[in-house]
Amino acid sequence: MDDLYRDYILEHYRRPHNFGVLEAPTTSYEGSNPLCGDRITMMLGISDGVVREVAFTGRGCAISQASASLLTDEIKGKTVAEVEEMTPDDLLDLIGIDISPARLKCALLSLDTVAHALADDAAKQAEAQGQTQA
Amino acid sequence: MDDLYRDYILEHYRRPHNFGVLEAPTTSYEGSNPLCGDRITMMLGISDGVVREVAFTGRGCAISQASASLLTDEIKGKTVAEVEEMTPDDLLDLIGIDISPARLKCALLSLDTVAHALADDAAKQAEAQGQTQA
Amino acid sequence: MSDLSTTSTQSRPAAAGPDLRSRRADFPILATTNRHGKPLVYLDSAATSLKPQAVIDAADAYNREYSSNIHRGIYEIAERATTAYEGARASVAKLINAPEPAEIVFVRNATEAINLVAYSWGRRNIGRGDSIVLTEMEHHANLVPWQLLVQEKDGDLEFVPITDDGLLRLEVFEVLLHLKPKLVAFTHVSNMLGTVNPVREMTEMAHAAGALVLIDGAQAVPHMPVDVQELGVDFYVFSGHKMLAPTGSGALWARRELLEAMPPFMAGGDMIREVHLRRSDWNEIPWKFEAGTPDISAQIGMGAAAEYLMAIGLDAVRDHEHEMVAYALEVLRRDVPGIELYGPAADRRGGVVSFNLPGIHPHDVAQILDRSGICVRAGHHCTMPLHERFDLAASARASFNVYTIREEIDALATGLREVARIFDR
Amino acid sequence: MSDLSTTSTQSRPAAAGPDLRSRRADFPILATTNRHGKPLVYLDSAATSLKPQAVIDAADAYNREYSSNIHRGIYEIAERATTAYEGARASVAKLINAPEPAEIVFVRNATEAINLVAYSWGRRNIGRGDSIVLTEMEHHANLVPWQLLVQEKDGDLEFVPITDDGLLRLEVFEVLLHLKPKLVAFTHVSNMLGTVNPVREMTEMAHAAGALVLIDGAQAVPHMPVDVQELGVDFYVFSGHKMLAPTGSGALWARRELLEAMPPFMAGGDMIREVHLRRSDWNEIPWKFEAGTPDISAQIGMGAAAEYLMAIGLDAVRDHEHEMVAYALEVLRRDVPGIELYGPAADRRGGVVSFNLPGIHPHDVAQILDRSGICVRAGHHCTMPLHERFDLAASARASFNVYTIREEIDALATGLREVARIFDR
Ligand SMILES: Cc1ncc(COP(=O)(O)O)c(C=O)c1O
Ligand SMILES: Cc1ncc(COP(=O)(O)O)c(C=O)c1O
């Protein structure tokens, strides 16, 4: 039995944490991996530079779903800056199993989607600030 | 010593028979083999359906020039119908050496050029006849 | 291994006979094992086939004994290379009963063949408002080149829809033909559903409507007798690497008149007759379409593969794969609870079975099967619109070839039960 | 064999040392003999190179051990194939010091690479009246695609002429740049004259005039250090089969921004991100340009060839070939009465020597040399306009590679004297 389908991964897949929708997210993003049909929507509630709330929906393989479950647990309560600093390796450590190259995209889709959501948020704020200053 | 450069082939190459120009050919054609730069102009003097005179000019490898020399000897005095019936194999027999596939085009350029010259002539006559009838 | 032989129902395939056993010995890769010491159970032949020793040797001999460029060399090894390369063309022509080898253009793969036709024939013959009829089950290779073409030329694409069983709806095809399409292009065998399409019948319909017909034979040529003259089509394309030949080999067949009328696709050495600084003219077919140094070793391998298949006999190949497909459909349906199988019944399909286990992503299915050395494909198999049609994000696919045996299908069924067990824990 | 070693003048090359001897043992074909029992004297490396065991083994291992399709397979051998294929890309990138492997697009050969740029970049960027500057010494591969492009787009071609020594006339190039060409495309090393062109200097001139620069590196990459960053060019193309790799392999390098802005060339599987029935979008570079199943085994072989060359060291390769060329020019001029040699002096050329014997067609020269196992090319070497420039119908060409030794050049000189003797009888 190899590492990939450990019980806790399957557990996260079957009953993912933070699965659902936020009523009024500050930012949200739908990431997808067209080659495998994986799709994840990440919703974040940010205030004072801290990720207060996080939820996701989507469909995909056990790896992508478990990864999203673990990642959302991890970032809740962190500052935006801390989340932005997370690397793929950090996420892989969190998942704690060996991911083969062919599955890397599945494993990293959640982080990639969070990064996009944060970038959107940053862009929105920069624009808002620009307008205030103008 | 293999067959290709027998003395008589080289002899035909060095002193080709029928090399030169006809003053008033009934038909002539310039054939070429762009891949090797071989070029042959065949000039025929035809009357009463017989090839009375033949000459050629051109440049090219020993095979193509010797082939033209041998072929022009062969067709002089033959009827047009007889010449038209000549096949590549007939010419190869005439040359009498083994030609490798890569050199076939060299060996057959002369016959090909004669065939074109005869076809041109036939077309001219058909046209002339058409005009007479009209 | 086969715990099924005693319970087998109406179709009771014979165990792999001595012929098949010795045939498997022709494929060196079948003697390998994976990182867990499990023997290879290769069920991904629709993606690319394994290569028999005869093919490997043919390509190897070129590299070891007569590596040289073709067509222009006046020395022994170059003449040998030219003879071998043109001999391969003759073998490939024979495989599909092309009227003459000169109608076979060697290309990298089926994809290049279709692009060649789209660029060369298509850009000259498709104009504003002209339509091309495809089907909903096309591989991206027989879809995206036509999208680019009609975008450039302001033409239209129309699609023959399919039934839930994965069969083309010919009554809709009939209606689409009223649009007087210039071209009808479709796959001989679907690489996802396995459907064998009625090429001859559809070609007659298309011709009656004035359209030319291009067939994507990537999944047909290695698996059944293909006779382009009997089918009556205009263009037929296929890949070498799916028919036991090396990667880098493939062929376009088209009728001489078409090829002669088509302008060149790629330009360069060998495809020309005369070149001047500002204009050139072209070589005869097929060389007009083979610019530059071709993949000599791979095409020689493709010739050897064609000979290998013809030596088995394409009817025998077809029968064997039909037996495998019928067996797989039976075993999987019976032994893997809840499995969803796509595509038509065994007698209308080639050696392809796509499926899903409910609630389990095919990536996970493939990954778990891999532990046991079982190779299946998971994804959209380059047929995204077809997956959309069935509202599937992806599917898993097992596909067969001359070397496939029942024990491998048994192993797949066992493996799938294990997948379900892991996910049910 | 070398009856010349005692009479050698200023450049006295050392006999083939132990390194070179053992290197020759890497090439199995060098142990073969022809129909007359003569050992192979292969002097046609500019047409295609011989293949070392390491390259043959790399391609073979794929066929024997992990034959499978890449990029989409979630099983052991498919992952191994993907890793090997992408690893080959990294090796090829390193060979020419490309900033990143993603800028290397794998193609069949240099010809396809140039056609790719002509179709994709060219059709988008060349319009009516735009000009492209080429040279009189281009191989047909770097001429005919541009003819087709300017015919379609109503653009113009201009040509840098050459001196009688076979050098580009840079003062005319300077003038042509006043036309503000969109592209300057020329060969790094001429495959007929051997001329090594001043790529860096000409690129600076072209860039100053606002043109992009494409270099045909088919005769450069296997023979000398090539650093695309140092050269400063925009596109660089080369063929695998001329650099010890299998036929079917080749590469286009271009700067990321260019590749990203370019539309796809061929369309199909793997080059897409999402496909719908009527529209699609594209994968990232380099895969956007690699439609369909690539020539996996050949490209893996190309990676092995790049590693093989880097292990020798490209400076050492260049030195060796320079020595061979200098030796050949010296020996042929001295020992073959009346020989006409084309091209510049040894210090401005790559491993190519073209020549004619007065009054003897090069076909006859090649054919007679073949008896002695000596392979040279005869014809126009896909450079018809260059032959017209020198008013030649054809020429014979000897060309070298890492395995060439002085004894082979001696054999050529002896063979040429024999040719003259036969024709003089
Ligand atoms: C300078 C040059 N460019 C391009 C080519 C074309 O190479 P390929 O036939 O591999 O595409 C060649 C080889 O003949 C060459 O010498
Ligand atoms: C039906 C069909 N057409 C075309 C292709 C494309 O083949 P290739 O990648 O060899 O060009 C495939 C293979 O994936 C296929 O299954």
Side-chain angles (χ1 to χ4, degrees), chain C residues 2 4-5 8 11 13 322-332 406-407 409-410:
Chain C
S2 169
L4 304 162
S5 44
S8 173
S11 91
H322 181 259
E323 187 185 313
M324 290 303 113
V325 152
Y327 185 67
L329 290 176
E330 178 194 334
V331 168
L332 295 177
R406 279 194 303 151
E407 285 88 334
I409 292 165
D410 296 335

mmCIF file with all atom_site columns, all heavy atoms in Angstrom, chain C residues 2 4-5 8 11 13 322-332 406-407 409-410:
data_model
loop_
_atom_site.group_PDB
_atom_site.id
_atom_site.type_symbol
_atom_site.label_atom_id
_atom_site.label_alt_id
_atom_site.label_comp_id
_atom_site.label_asym_id
_atom_site.label_entity_id
_atom_site.label_seq_id
_atom_site.pdbx_PDB_ins_code
_atom_site.Cartn_x
_atom_site.Cartn_y
_atom_site.Cartn_z
_atom_site.occupancy
_atom_site.B_iso_or_equiv
_atom_site.pdbx_formal_charge
_atom_site.auth_seq_id
_atom_site.auth_comp_id
_atom_site.auth_asym_id
_atom_site.auth_atom_id
_atom_site.pdbx_PDB_model_num
ATOM 1   N N   . SER C 1 2   ? -7.283  -15.951 -13.554 1.00 0.00 ? 2   SER C N   1
ATOM 2   C CA  . SER C 1 2   ? -8.674  -15.805 -13.943 1.00 0.00 ? 2   SER C CA  1
ATOM 3   C C   . SER C 1 2   ? -9.573  -16.634 -13.039 1.00 0.00 ? 2   SER C C   1
ATOM 4   O O   . SER C 1 2   ? -9.702  -17.839 -13.194 1.00 0.00 ? 2   SER C O   1
ATOM 5   C CB  . SER C 1 2   ? -8.865  -16.243 -15.397 1.00 0.00 ? 2   SER C CB  1
ATOM 6   O OG  . SER C 1 2   ? -10.244 -16.331 -15.667 1.00 0.00 ? 2   SER C OG  1
ATOM 7   N N   . LEU C 1 4   ? -12.541 -16.300 -13.177 1.00 0.00 ? 4   LEU C N   1
ATOM 8   C CA  . LEU C 1 4   ? -13.826 -16.149 -13.837 1.00 0.00 ? 4   LEU C CA  1
ATOM 9   C C   . LEU C 1 4   ? -14.103 -17.290 -14.798 1.00 0.00 ? 4   LEU C C   1
ATOM 10  O O   . LEU C 1 4   ? -15.233 -17.479 -15.236 1.00 0.00 ? 4   LEU C O   1
ATOM 11  C CB  . LEU C 1 4   ? -13.839 -14.846 -14.640 1.00 0.00 ? 4   LEU C CB  1
ATOM 12  C CG  . LEU C 1 4   ? -13.518 -13.619 -13.790 1.00 0.00 ? 4   LEU C CG  1
ATOM 13  C CD1 . LEU C 1 4   ? -13.119 -12.471 -14.678 1.00 0.00 ? 4   LEU C CD1 1
ATOM 14  C CD2 . LEU C 1 4   ? -14.712 -13.280 -12.916 1.00 0.00 ? 4   LEU C CD2 1
ATOM 15  N N   . SER C 1 5   ? -13.091 -18.055 -15.092 1.00 0.00 ? 5   SER C N   1
ATOM 16  C CA  . SER C 1 5   ? -13.249 -18.997 -16.190 1.00 0.00 ? 5   SER C CA  1
ATOM 17  C C   . SER C 1 5   ? -14.367 -20.001 -15.915 1.00 0.00 ? 5   SER C C   1
ATOM 18  O O   . SER C 1 5   ? -15.000 -20.491 -16.823 1.00 0.00 ? 5   SER C O   1
ATOM 19  C CB  . SER C 1 5   ? -11.933 -19.727 -16.461 1.00 0.00 ? 5   SER C CB  1
ATOM 20  O OG  . SER C 1 5   ? -11.370 -20.120 -15.227 1.00 0.00 ? 5   SER C OG  1
ATOM 21  N N   . SER C 1 8   ? -18.031 -18.124 -16.447 1.00 0.00 ? 8   SER C N   1
ATOM 22  C CA  . SER C 1 8   ? -18.278 -17.380 -17.685 1.00 0.00 ? 8   SER C CA  1
ATOM 23  C C   . SER C 1 8   ? -19.634 -17.744 -18.298 1.00 0.00 ? 8   SER C C   1
ATOM 24  O O   . SER C 1 8   ? -20.053 -18.891 -18.291 1.00 0.00 ? 8   SER C O   1
ATOM 25  C CB  . SER C 1 8   ? -17.162 -17.674 -18.678 1.00 0.00 ? 8   SER C CB  1
ATOM 26  O OG  . SER C 1 8   ? -17.457 -17.114 -19.916 1.00 0.00 ? 8   SER C OG  1
ATOM 27  N N   . SER C 1 11  ? -20.691 -15.743 -23.724 1.00 0.00 ? 11  SER C N   1
ATOM 28  C CA  . SER C 1 11  ? -19.464 -15.679 -24.515 1.00 0.00 ? 11  SER C CA  1
ATOM 29  C C   . SER C 1 11  ? -18.325 -16.221 -23.663 1.00 0.00 ? 11  SER C C   1
ATOM 30  O O   . SER C 1 11  ? -17.936 -15.623 -22.682 1.00 0.00 ? 11  SER C O   1
ATOM 31  C CB  . SER C 1 11  ? -19.193 -14.247 -24.951 1.00 0.00 ? 11  SER C CB  1
ATOM 32  O OG  . SER C 1 11  ? -18.402 -13.585 -24.013 1.00 0.00 ? 11  SER C OG  1
ATOM 33  N N   . PRO C 1 13  ? -14.692 -16.898 -23.936 1.00 0.00 ? 13  PRO C N   1
ATOM 34  C CA  . PRO C 1 13  ? -13.510 -16.821 -24.773 1.00 0.00 ? 13  PRO C CA  1
ATOM 35  C C   . PRO C 1 13  ? -12.505 -17.898 -24.372 1.00 0.00 ? 13  PRO C C   1
ATOM 36  O O   . PRO C 1 13  ? -12.343 -18.198 -23.200 1.00 0.00 ? 13  PRO C O   1
ATOM 37  C CB  . PRO C 1 13  ? -12.940 -15.433 -24.495 1.00 0.00 ? 13  PRO C CB  1
ATOM 38  C CG  . PRO C 1 13  ? -13.610 -14.967 -23.253 1.00 0.00 ? 13  PRO C CG  1
ATOM 39  C CD  . PRO C 1 13  ? -14.796 -15.817 -22.982 1.00 0.00 ? 13  PRO C CD  1
ATOM 40  N N   . HIS C 1 322 ? -12.154 -7.830  -30.740 1.00 0.00 ? 322 HIS C N   1
ATOM 41  C CA  . HIS C 1 322 ? -13.587 -7.916  -30.493 1.00 0.00 ? 322 HIS C CA  1
ATOM 42  C C   . HIS C 1 322 ? -13.850 -8.832  -29.306 1.00 0.00 ? 322 HIS C C   1
ATOM 43  O O   . HIS C 1 322 ? -14.670 -8.540  -28.422 1.00 0.00 ? 322 HIS C O   1
ATOM 44  C CB  . HIS C 1 322 ? -14.300 -8.435  -31.743 1.00 0.00 ? 322 HIS C CB  1
ATOM 45  C CG  . HIS C 1 322 ? -15.771 -8.512  -31.563 1.00 0.00 ? 322 HIS C CG  1
ATOM 46  N ND1 . HIS C 1 322 ? -16.426 -9.682  -31.291 1.00 0.00 ? 322 HIS C ND1 1
ATOM 47  C CD2 . HIS C 1 322 ? -16.711 -7.542  -31.558 1.00 0.00 ? 322 HIS C CD2 1
ATOM 48  C CE1 . HIS C 1 322 ? -17.712 -9.436  -31.141 1.00 0.00 ? 322 HIS C CE1 1
ATOM 49  N NE2 . HIS C 1 322 ? -17.914 -8.144  -31.306 1.00 0.00 ? 322 HIS C NE2 1
ATOM 50  N N   . GLU C 1 323 ? -13.129 -9.925  -29.270 1.00 0.00 ? 323 GLU C N   1
ATOM 51  C CA  . GLU C 1 323 ? -13.257 -10.867 -28.159 1.00 0.00 ? 323 GLU C CA  1
ATOM 52  C C   . GLU C 1 323 ? -12.885 -10.185 -26.836 1.00 0.00 ? 323 GLU C C   1
ATOM 53  O O   . GLU C 1 323 ? -13.574 -10.348 -25.820 1.00 0.00 ? 323 GLU C O   1
ATOM 54  C CB  . GLU C 1 323 ? -12.326 -12.047 -28.439 1.00 0.00 ? 323 GLU C CB  1
ATOM 55  C CG  . GLU C 1 323 ? -12.449 -13.201 -27.492 1.00 0.00 ? 323 GLU C CG  1
ATOM 56  C CD  . GLU C 1 323 ? -11.381 -14.259 -27.793 1.00 0.00 ? 323 GLU C CD  1
ATOM 57  O OE1 . GLU C 1 323 ? -11.197 -14.611 -28.985 1.00 0.00 ? 323 GLU C OE1 1
ATOM 58  O OE2 . GLU C 1 323 ? -10.726 -14.698 -26.840 1.00 0.00 ? 323 GLU C OE2 1
ATOM 59  N N   . MET C 1 324 ? -11.797 -9.406  -26.871 1.00 0.00 ? 324 MET C N   1
ATOM 60  C CA  . MET C 1 324 ? -11.363 -8.725  -25.648 1.00 0.00 ? 324 MET C CA  1
ATOM 61  C C   . MET C 1 324 ? -12.416 -7.714  -25.177 1.00 0.00 ? 324 MET C C   1
ATOM 62  O O   . MET C 1 324 ? -12.700 -7.606  -23.991 1.00 0.00 ? 324 MET C O   1
ATOM 63  C CB  . MET C 1 324 ? -10.036 -7.976  -25.898 1.00 0.00 ? 324 MET C CB  1
ATOM 64  C CG  . MET C 1 324 ? -8.828  -8.858  -26.099 1.00 0.00 ? 324 MET C CG  1
ATOM 65  S SD  . MET C 1 324 ? -8.518  -9.984  -24.716 1.00 0.00 ? 324 MET C SD  1
ATOM 66  C CE  . MET C 1 324 ? -8.844  -11.534 -25.522 1.00 0.00 ? 324 MET C CE  1
ATOM 67  N N   . VAL C 1 325 ? -12.977 -6.979  -26.126 1.00 0.00 ? 325 VAL C N   1
ATOM 68  C CA  . VAL C 1 325 ? -13.955 -5.963  -25.758 1.00 0.00 ? 325 VAL C CA  1
ATOM 69  C C   . VAL C 1 325 ? -15.217 -6.615  -25.200 1.00 0.00 ? 325 VAL C C   1
ATOM 70  O O   . VAL C 1 325 ? -15.766 -6.179  -24.174 1.00 0.00 ? 325 VAL C O   1
ATOM 71  C CB  . VAL C 1 325 ? -14.291 -5.067  -26.971 1.00 0.00 ? 325 VAL C CB  1
ATOM 72  C CG1 . VAL C 1 325 ? -15.688 -4.516  -26.863 1.00 0.00 ? 325 VAL C CG1 1
ATOM 73  C CG2 . VAL C 1 325 ? -13.300 -3.938  -27.053 1.00 0.00 ? 325 VAL C CG2 1
ATOM 74  N N   . ALA C 1 326 ? -15.674 -7.669  -25.854 1.00 0.00 ? 326 ALA C N   1
ATOM 75  C CA  . ALA C 1 326 ? -16.878 -8.341  -25.378 1.00 0.00 ? 326 ALA C CA  1
ATOM 76  C C   . ALA C 1 326 ? -16.623 -8.878  -23.969 1.00 0.00 ? 326 ALA C C   1
ATOM 77  O O   . ALA C 1 326 ? -17.467 -8.750  -23.064 1.00 0.00 ? 326 ALA C O   1
ATOM 78  C CB  . ALA C 1 326 ? -17.246 -9.479  -26.338 1.00 0.00 ? 326 ALA C CB  1
ATOM 79  N N   . TYR C 1 327 ? -15.451 -9.449  -23.786 1.00 0.00 ? 327 TYR C N   1
ATOM 80  C CA  . TYR C 1 327 ? -15.108 -10.002 -22.476 1.00 0.00 ? 327 TYR C CA  1
ATOM 81  C C   . TYR C 1 327 ? -15.042 -8.897  -21.428 1.00 0.00 ? 327 TYR C C   1
ATOM 82  O O   . TYR C 1 327 ? -15.571 -9.034  -20.323 1.00 0.00 ? 327 TYR C O   1
ATOM 83  C CB  . TYR C 1 327 ? -13.771 -10.739 -22.596 1.00 0.00 ? 327 TYR C CB  1
ATOM 84  C CG  . TYR C 1 327 ? -13.364 -11.460 -21.341 1.00 0.00 ? 327 TYR C CG  1
ATOM 85  C CD1 . TYR C 1 327 ? -14.098 -12.559 -20.886 1.00 0.00 ? 327 TYR C CD1 1
ATOM 86  C CD2 . TYR C 1 327 ? -12.258 -11.047 -20.610 1.00 0.00 ? 327 TYR C CD2 1
ATOM 87  C CE1 . TYR C 1 327 ? -13.729 -13.223 -19.727 1.00 0.00 ? 327 TYR C CE1 1
ATOM 88  C CE2 . TYR C 1 327 ? -11.881 -11.709 -19.448 1.00 0.00 ? 327 TYR C CE2 1
ATOM 89  C CZ  . TYR C 1 327 ? -12.614 -12.801 -19.008 1.00 0.00 ? 327 TYR C CZ  1
ATOM 90  O OH  . TYR C 1 327 ? -12.264 -13.458 -17.867 1.00 0.00 ? 327 TYR C OH  1
ATOM 91  N N   . ALA C 1 328 ? -14.412 -7.792  -21.782 1.00 0.00 ? 328 ALA C N   1
ATOM 92  C CA  . ALA C 1 328 ? -14.265 -6.695  -20.822 1.00 0.00 ? 328 ALA C CA  1
ATOM 93  C C   . ALA C 1 328 ? -15.623 -6.136  -20.423 1.00 0.00 ? 328 ALA C C   1
ATOM 94  O O   . ALA C 1 328 ? -15.891 -5.906  -19.235 1.00 0.00 ? 328 ALA C O   1
ATOM 95  C CB  . ALA C 1 328 ? -13.390 -5.594  -21.430 1.00 0.00 ? 328 ALA C CB  1
ATOM 96  N N   . LEU C 1 329 ? -16.499 -5.935  -21.401 1.00 0.00 ? 329 LEU C N   1
ATOM 97  C CA  . LEU C 1 329 ? -17.809 -5.375  -21.078 1.00 0.00 ? 329 LEU C CA  1
ATOM 98  C C   . LEU C 1 329 ? -18.551 -6.323  -20.134 1.00 0.00 ? 329 LEU C C   1
ATOM 99  O O   . LEU C 1 329 ? -19.186 -5.886  -19.166 1.00 0.00 ? 329 LEU C O   1
ATOM 100 C CB  . LEU C 1 329 ? -18.622 -5.139  -22.360 1.00 0.00 ? 329 LEU C CB  1
ATOM 101 C CG  . LEU C 1 329 ? -18.127 -3.996  -23.253 1.00 0.00 ? 329 LEU C CG  1
ATOM 102 C CD1 . LEU C 1 329 ? -18.946 -3.924  -24.536 1.00 0.00 ? 329 LEU C CD1 1
ATOM 103 C CD2 . LEU C 1 329 ? -18.179 -2.657  -22.510 1.00 0.00 ? 329 LEU C CD2 1
ATOM 104 N N   . GLU C 1 330 ? -18.435 -7.593  -20.407 1.00 0.00 ? 330 GLU C N   1
ATOM 105 C CA  . GLU C 1 330 ? -19.123 -8.591  -19.601 1.00 0.00 ? 330 GLU C CA  1
ATOM 106 C C   . GLU C 1 330 ? -18.568 -8.631  -18.171 1.00 0.00 ? 330 GLU C C   1
ATOM 107 O O   . GLU C 1 330 ? -19.307 -8.534  -17.183 1.00 0.00 ? 330 GLU C O   1
ATOM 108 C CB  . GLU C 1 330 ? -18.955 -9.958  -20.285 1.00 0.00 ? 330 GLU C CB  1
ATOM 109 C CG  . GLU C 1 330 ? -19.568 -11.118 -19.555 1.00 0.00 ? 330 GLU C CG  1
ATOM 110 C CD  . GLU C 1 330 ? -19.052 -12.452 -20.128 1.00 0.00 ? 330 GLU C CD  1
ATOM 111 O OE1 . GLU C 1 330 ? -18.672 -12.477 -21.317 1.00 0.00 ? 330 GLU C OE1 1
ATOM 112 O OE2 . GLU C 1 330 ? -19.000 -13.437 -19.370 1.00 0.00 ? 330 GLU C OE2 1
ATOM 113 N N   . VAL C 1 331 ? -17.270 -8.739  -18.076 1.00 0.00 ? 331 VAL C N   1
ATOM 114 C CA  . VAL C 1 331 ? -16.624 -8.896  -16.770 1.00 0.00 ? 331 VAL C CA  1
ATOM 115 C C   . VAL C 1 331 ? -16.784 -7.643  -15.908 1.00 0.00 ? 331 VAL C C   1
ATOM 116 O O   . VAL C 1 331 ? -17.097 -7.724  -14.714 1.00 0.00 ? 331 VAL C O   1
ATOM 117 C CB  . VAL C 1 331 ? -15.132 -9.238  -16.961 1.00 0.00 ? 331 VAL C CB  1
ATOM 118 C CG1 . VAL C 1 331 ? -14.382 -9.116  -15.640 1.00 0.00 ? 331 VAL C CG1 1
ATOM 119 C CG2 . VAL C 1 331 ? -14.991 -10.638 -17.538 1.00 0.00 ? 331 VAL C CG2 1
ATOM 120 N N   . LEU C 1 332 ? -16.556 -6.478  -16.541 1.00 0.00 ? 332 LEU C N   1
ATOM 121 C CA  . LEU C 1 332 ? -16.615 -5.252  -15.751 1.00 0.00 ? 332 LEU C CA  1
ATOM 122 C C   . LEU C 1 332 ? -18.033 -5.021  -15.246 1.00 0.00 ? 332 LEU C C   1
ATOM 123 O O   . LEU C 1 332 ? -18.256 -4.660  -14.087 1.00 0.00 ? 332 LEU C O   1
ATOM 124 C CB  . LEU C 1 332 ? -16.137 -4.054  -16.571 1.00 0.00 ? 332 LEU C CB  1
ATOM 125 C CG  . LEU C 1 332 ? -14.661 -4.087  -16.975 1.00 0.00 ? 332 LEU C CG  1
ATOM 126 C CD1 . LEU C 1 332 ? -14.316 -2.880  -17.840 1.00 0.00 ? 332 LEU C CD1 1
ATOM 127 C CD2 . LEU C 1 332 ? -13.751 -4.130  -15.735 1.00 0.00 ? 332 LEU C CD2 1
ATOM 128 N N   . ARG C 1 406 ? -6.999  -11.967 -21.804 1.00 0.00 ? 406 ARG C N   1
ATOM 129 C CA  . ARG C 1 406 ? -8.097  -11.929 -20.848 1.00 0.00 ? 406 ARG C CA  1
ATOM 130 C C   . ARG C 1 406 ? -7.634  -11.741 -19.423 1.00 0.00 ? 406 ARG C C   1
ATOM 131 O O   . ARG C 1 406 ? -8.286  -11.075 -18.618 1.00 0.00 ? 406 ARG C O   1
ATOM 132 C CB  . ARG C 1 406 ? -8.897  -13.231 -20.952 1.00 0.00 ? 406 ARG C CB  1
ATOM 133 C CG  . ARG C 1 406 ? -9.876  -13.218 -22.108 1.00 0.00 ? 406 ARG C CG  1
ATOM 134 C CD  . ARG C 1 406 ? -10.860 -14.343 -21.959 1.00 0.00 ? 406 ARG C CD  1
ATOM 135 N NE  . ARG C 1 406 ? -10.127 -15.603 -21.881 1.00 0.00 ? 406 ARG C NE  1
ATOM 136 C CZ  . ARG C 1 406 ? -10.563 -16.670 -21.236 1.00 0.00 ? 406 ARG C CZ  1
ATOM 137 N NH1 . ARG C 1 406 ? -11.717 -16.631 -20.593 1.00 0.00 ? 406 ARG C NH1 1
ATOM 138 N NH2 . ARG C 1 406 ? -9.865  -17.774 -21.237 1.00 0.00 ? 406 ARG C NH2 1
ATOM 139 N N   . GLU C 1 407 ? -6.481  -12.335 -19.092 1.00 0.00 ? 407 GLU C N   1
ATOM 140 C CA  . GLU C 1 407 ? -5.985  -12.194 -17.726 1.00 0.00 ? 407 GLU C CA  1
ATOM 141 C C   . GLU C 1 407 ? -5.783  -10.727 -17.358 1.00 0.00 ? 407 GLU C C   1
ATOM 142 O O   . GLU C 1 407 ? -5.912  -10.345 -16.194 1.00 0.00 ? 407 GLU C O   1
ATOM 143 C CB  . GLU C 1 407 ? -4.651  -12.948 -17.560 1.00 0.00 ? 407 GLU C CB  1
ATOM 144 C CG  . GLU C 1 407 ? -4.807  -14.456 -17.489 1.00 0.00 ? 407 GLU C CG  1
ATOM 145 C CD  . GLU C 1 407 ? -4.799  -15.113 -18.871 1.00 0.00 ? 407 GLU C CD  1
ATOM 146 O OE1 . GLU C 1 407 ? -5.171  -14.433 -19.863 1.00 0.00 ? 407 GLU C OE1 1
ATOM 147 O OE2 . GLU C 1 407 ? -4.447  -16.291 -18.946 1.00 0.00 ? 407 GLU C OE2 1
ATOM 148 N N   . ILE C 1 409 ? -7.608  -8.269  -18.392 1.00 0.00 ? 409 ILE C N   1
ATOM 149 C CA  . ILE C 1 409 ? -8.931  -7.695  -18.117 1.00 0.00 ? 409 ILE C CA  1
ATOM 150 C C   . ILE C 1 409 ? -9.422  -8.170  -16.743 1.00 0.00 ? 409 ILE C C   1
ATOM 151 O O   . ILE C 1 409 ? -10.015 -7.407  -15.977 1.00 0.00 ? 409 ILE C O   1
ATOM 152 C CB  . ILE C 1 409 ? -9.895  -8.069  -19.254 1.00 0.00 ? 409 ILE C CB  1
ATOM 153 C CG1 . ILE C 1 409 ? -9.424  -7.328  -20.527 1.00 0.00 ? 409 ILE C CG1 1
ATOM 154 C CG2 . ILE C 1 409 ? -11.332 -7.716  -18.895 1.00 0.00 ? 409 ILE C CG2 1
ATOM 155 C CD1 . ILE C 1 409 ? -10.016 -7.843  -21.799 1.00 0.00 ? 409 ILE C CD1 1
ATOM 156 N N   . ASP C 1 410 ? -9.111  -9.410  -16.418 1.00 0.00 ? 410 ASP C N   1
ATOM 157 C CA  . ASP C 1 410 ? -9.419  -9.903  -15.075 1.00 0.00 ? 410 ASP C CA  1
ATOM 158 C C   . ASP C 1 410 ? -8.697  -9.059  -14.030 1.00 0.00 ? 410 ASP C C   1
ATOM 159 O O   . ASP C 1 410 ? -9.263  -8.691  -13.000 1.00 0.00 ? 410 ASP C O   1
ATOM 160 C CB  . ASP C 1 410 ? -8.986  -11.367 -14.924 1.00 0.00 ? 410 ASP C CB  1
ATOM 161 C CG  . ASP C 1 410 ? -9.768  -12.292 -15.850 1.00 0.00 ? 410 ASP C CG  1
ATOM 162 O OD1 . ASP C 1 410 ? -10.904 -11.938 -16.235 1.00 0.00 ? 410 ASP C OD1 1
ATOM 163 O OD2 . ASP C 1 410 ? -9.231  -13.362 -16.190 1.00 0.00 ? 410 ASP C OD2 1
#
